[in-house]
Amino acid sequence: MANLPLEGALHAVFVRSMMPHARLNGVDTSAAAAMPGVAAVRTANDLEGVSPIPASGNIADLFAMPVLAVDRVRYAGEAIAVVLAETIEQAVDAAELVAVDYDPLPAVVGFDAALAVGSPALFPEHGSNVCDVLDIDVAPDREATDPLLGAEVIARGTFVNQRLAPVPMETNAFAARPEPGGGLTVWASTQIPFDVRDDLADAFGLRRDQVRCIAPDVGGGFGAKLVVYPEYFVLAGAALDLGRPVRWTQPRAESMTAITHGRAQRQVVELGATRDGTIVGMRVHLTQDLGAYPIGGYLVATTAEMVAGVYRIPRIAVHAESIVTNATPIQAYRGAGRPEATALIERAIDLLANELSMDPVLVRRRNLIGTEAFPYDTGLGPVYDSGDYGRALDLVLELADIDDLRSQRDERRVRGDRLQLGIGVSTYVEITAFAGKEFGGVQVHPDGSVTVLAGTSSHGQGHETAFAQLVSGLLGVPFAAVEVVHSDTGRVPKGDGTYASRSLQLAGSALWEQSGRVIERAKALAADELEVEQDDIVFSDGAFGVAGAPDRSLSWAELATVASDGSREGSEQGLAASGVFRQSDSTFPFGAHLALVEVDTETGDVRLRRHVAVDDCGRILNPMLVDGQVHGGLAQGIAQALFEEVVYDDDGNPLTATLSTYAMASAAELVSFENAHTETPTPHNPLGVKGIGEAATIGSTPAVQNAVVDALARFGVKHLDMPASPERVWRAIQAKRTAGA
Ligand code: SMO
């Protein structure tokens, strides 16, 4: 936003709560407003009529998030006021002088504090910090409700899927310019430009066509840019009221608490099996921390629906509760509920293998859903479309040379080496696109160039490449002749945006359908021009010829010229087609990952040595883009297992609000990934494709976590929460050494 050509734009700096939980008695803006260059200092009082941001899921309206704090702040970093000044330096200086009068309140930090009897309620009108409860029961017979009925062995565990910060390369950013006639053009670093347009129009009483949202070159989102953020309303309102453009780029440190976080789920699991390793049932209790405002209220349901993973589990009982705490709100983060489900079941399988003294790979094999079972209804909601879980598992073991790895590990274990190896496996299935829809449009111009319109929003995935390849292949035109337009509500008529690994399957399928319609239209035109029956037109290599008459043919450019000639009936449509593709159901990518780690048993230091990934996202359109998604996903998934965690102190102060304290992974901590694919198409779209944006994040985390636990097996460690920091690993070893001594 800093380099947009916005003449005379004011610079914005937000004043944010230093307090995790406090009553807000007043905000004195007078000293700041008197500073040089300051055009305005705005608070909640300047936003009357702008609705708060609603909670999601089934959560009551009273949990809505105010755009600027009104009478209470509920997390450190919550926006209270904004300063608008001629220069960024003036805005920063003036923001220091905004005086906020707080009465501190006791903070609620973590799962136990939120659930404790007498815990101070963040929303006193509600009385409790539990904002939603969910129960799902899968039972073949209604009378027998105990999911562990018939179990000879029960593995029990309590896991914390820790709070993470998404840390997109580009922080949050926004600019707004008032337009003559009362309209507004905004630039937002978002995954959902159409929602930004709609919500701003609604907030300020504008028609949707009076607001244009442009989201150019967004530097990563990972789910954290699926919120129409409070700052957008504040800045759009300021631009409209002041009649001047405004711009804002969030500083990195601010982004660590003001961009939504992800995960933050506690899981209690009991997994029952017979002695031969056949699973009979599972009981799960989830507690989802949603932070201060439950805008991510839908998340825990996604975990609940996916807890069965790739296994046949006849009985399942899930109880989930969502809670509010004095921390940054939780929202989608690369996987949004599915990584939590996979971590739960894949850790539980290893615990079960330990209880049974069986090979964890064998326990997996014994319970995999077989290829004959698709479509497979888990009973939890989802119906898995297609899969070959055993093949992915076979391939990952073969690529890793599991027998060799095991003998290396066992030798070191027997010798009692200081550096111990651990092998971890995970098999996973995830859910993508849901029953979604998306817009696509294809237009051929008289010069032979093609414009492709997509309703999804690229923020680093390479949609421009993928969609241009797809349409260039279908139409037989050069790749360079195709321009892909997205993320501009002034140029694309509609769209839903990018999330849930949906873009190729939904927008790609829309473009497939609309390319087909353009070809049909061109055939009709060619038949007219060449005075033959339409059935005699042969389309190949981007030319429309006549069967049996190789010298007579028309190019796309010629037909587009004809189509745009105003004298022809229907010519106003030109050579173009657009429409929405609706997918009848979700798709379910899957795979198997294997991690090899080396643990220094004296210092607790964990090094990743190998990571082998087999990911099946259905048919592959562009292998390089798929592998790019896999590599990024692996980096983030491995980082959850080994490095990253958002930490608050007992009073709710964030301790990881910079990149020197939040241990984000860099290339130096990772390895050269070894990855491969199987291709099992989905029946739910014409391309046979499933999502890949989140899959590797989902598959990798439990493989690495299982590997760390495996490396500690000789000490008797059965479970270790994430991240496997040196301190946590060292303490786990010391605890066992002390107990054994
Ligand atoms: S974090 Mo995703 O867009 O389900």
Side-chain angles (χ1 to χ4, degrees), residues 27-49:
V27 183
D28 183 352
T29 60
S30 54
M35 287 287 282
V38 173
V41 184
R42 293 166 66 91
T43 66
N45 293 336
D46 301 298
L47 288 164
E48 272 171 37

Side-chain angles (χ1 to χ4, degrees), residues 191 222-224 226 263 298-299 331-338 430-431 434 459 498-501 694:
Q191 299 172 228
F222 310 117
L226 288 173
R263 315 280 193 264
Y298 63 95
L299 284 165
Q331 241 282 16
Y333 171 51
R334 207 163 189 168
R338 296 99 86 197
E430 71 124 340
I431 179 169
F434 301 92
H459 43 283
T498 292
Y499 47 92
S501 299
E694 299 161 286

Side-chain angles (χ1 to χ4, degrees), residues 40-66:
V41 184
R42 293 166 66 91
T43 66
N45 293 336
D46 301 298
L47 288 164
E48 272 171 37
V50 176
S51 304
I53 295 166
S56 77
N58 304 314
I59 297 171
D61 292 344
L62 66 90
F63 286 96
M65 173 162 69

Side-chain angles (χ1 to χ4, degrees), residues 280-611:
V280 300
M282 177 165 69
R283 181 186 287 128
V284 173
H285 184 152
L286 304 173
T287 308
Q288 174 67 56
D289 176 3
L290 290 173
Y293 298 99
I295 54 176
Y298 63 95
L299 284 165
V300 78
T302 309
T303 303
E305 288 177 353
M306 293 304 292
V307 285
V310 292
Y311 310 107
R312 288 182 181 276
I313 307 184
R315 297 171 198 276
I316 305 173
V318 185
H319 174 74
E321 56 205 349
S322 291
I323 58 171
V324 287
T325 65
N326 291 116
T328 292
I330 291 288
Q331 241 282 16
Y333 171 51
R334 207 163 189 168
R338 296 99 86 197
E340 297 87 327
T342 301
L344 182 159
I345 184 66
E346 290 303 306
R347 203 69 275 294
I349 293 276
D350 267 33
L351 283 179
L352 179 63
N354 189 282
E355 289 295 323
L356 292 162
S357 299
M358 266 175 81
D359 169 11
V361 171
L362 188 59
V363 176
R364 286 180 169 81
R365 278 197 204 290
R366 184 141 298 169
N367 294 284
L368 287 180
I369 297 161
T371 50
E372 75 296 339
F374 294 95
Y376 181 80
D377 186 343
T378 61
L380 291 163
V383 177
Y384 297 168
D385 54 346
S386 63
D388 190 341
Y389 305 143
R391 187 160 153 243
L393 183 57
D394 289 343
L395 184 55
V396 85
L397 298 175
E398 183 194 321
L399 293 173
D401 195 353
I402 182 79
D403 294 334
D404 178 56
L405 294 184
R406 279 182 177 147
S407 59
Q408 288 184 44
R409 174 196 65 187
D410 294 347
E411 279 169 28
R412 291 202 201 180
R413 200 169 280 181
V414 170
R415 282 200 306 262
D417 284 5
R418 172 174 168 172
L419 297 180
Q420 289 289 317
L421 291 174
I423 302 166
V425 171
S426 99
T427 27
Y428 76 90
V429 58
E430 71 124 340
I431 179 169
T432 62
F434 301 92
K437 64 171 190 346
E438 194 47 273
F439 172 85
V442 176
Q443 181 168 20
V444 184
H445 303 289
D447 66 357
S449 69
V450 178
T451 300
V452 166
L453 306 177
T456 56
S457 207
S458 184
H459 43 283
Q461 297 89 340
H463 293 189
E464 295 87 347
T465 305
F467 295 157
Q469 277 187 306
L470 180 66
V471 173
S472 120
L474 291 168
L475 300 190
V477 301
F479 175 77
V482 183
E483 184 205 9
V484 176
V485 176
H486 65 86
S487 310
D488 180 346
T489 68
R491 294 188 69 192
V492 181
K494 56 183 150 182
D496 289 349
T498 292
Y499 47 92
S501 299
R502 68 201 298 278
S503 297
L504 183 60
Q505 55 193 309
L506 300 184
S509 295
L511 294 172
W512 184 89
E513 286 186 348
Q514 300 310 321
S515 295
R517 289 180 62 204
V518 169
I519 291 168
E520 285 311 305
R521 193 160 288 164
K523 277 184 179 172
L525 273 177
D528 244 24
E529 286 295 302
L530 299 170
E531 297 177 329
V532 296
E533 292 297 314
Q534 198 174 323
D535 286 350
D536 292 329
I537 296 292
V538 181
F539 172 60
S540 88
D541 276 343
F544 295 81
V546 179
D551 53 322
R552 300 175 67 200
S553 88
L554 292 168
S555 67
W556 278 111
E558 287 166 321
L559 288 169
T561 306
V562 171
S564 62
D565 164 6
S567 66
R568 186 175 286 272
E569 197 187 341
S571 66
E572 68 280 359
Q573 293 180 49
L575 209 38
S578 64
V580 169
F581 172 76
R582 283 167 208 280
Q583 191 163 274
S584 58
D585 206 342
S586 308
T587 60
F588 296 85
F590 63 91
H593 286 208
L594 184 146
L596 178 72
V597 300
E598 192 172 53
V599 176
D600 185 328
T601 56
E602 292 300 319
T603 65
D605 185 40
V606 179
R607 298 287 160 110
L608 181 69
R609 288 300 176 213
R610 289 180 70 192
H611 194 97

